[in-house]
Amino acid sequence: SHIQRKHKEFLFYQQLSFADICVFAFFNTYLGQGEPAVPAALEKFPRLRVLYEKVRDEPRIEEWLKKRPKTSL
């Protein structure tokens, strides 16, 4: 129902999934140019902004973002 979906933080489940990571990676790479800050393009989309933040703030994702090699994408 709409009420249940309103409070869902991840795309399909109540926990992090591969789909969430893929969406984050797309936005982080192509809109955010690899920077951890929420891309400006997501500011008008609160649910996507929350998803981006939730994935980014997962401890293992956060650790990877700090140590991953910088690329031109």
Side-chain angles (χ1 to χ4, degrees):
S1 80
H2 174 70
I3 293 172
Q4 290 172 332
R5 292 183 59 85
K6 184 176 178 181
H7 298 290
K8 193 159 80 167
E9 295 174 335
F10 296 107
L11 290 175
F12 298 110
Y13 306 105
Q14 294 301 320
Q15 61 187 21
L16 185 67
S17 71
F18 184 66
D20 299 311
I21 295 170
C22 289
V23 169
F24 170 82
F26 173 79
F27 288 137
N28 180 255
T29 302
Y30 295 104
L31 297 179
Q33 299 174 349
E35 296 300 320
V38 176
L42 296 184
E43 290 302 325
K44 293 183 180 181
F45 303 96
R47 192 158 171 239
L48 289 176
R49 181 181 43 77
V50 168
L51 174 69
Y52 185 94
E53 291 169 341
K54 288 289 288 182
V55 175
R56 178 197 65 200
D57 295 343
E58 285 287 321
R60 291 184 294 181
I61 302 286
E62 190 174 34
E63 182 181 329
W64 167 248
L65 291 174
K66 290 177 183 173
K67 69 178 183 181
R68 71 178 174 181
K70 299 288 183 189
T71 66
S72 60
L73 284 178

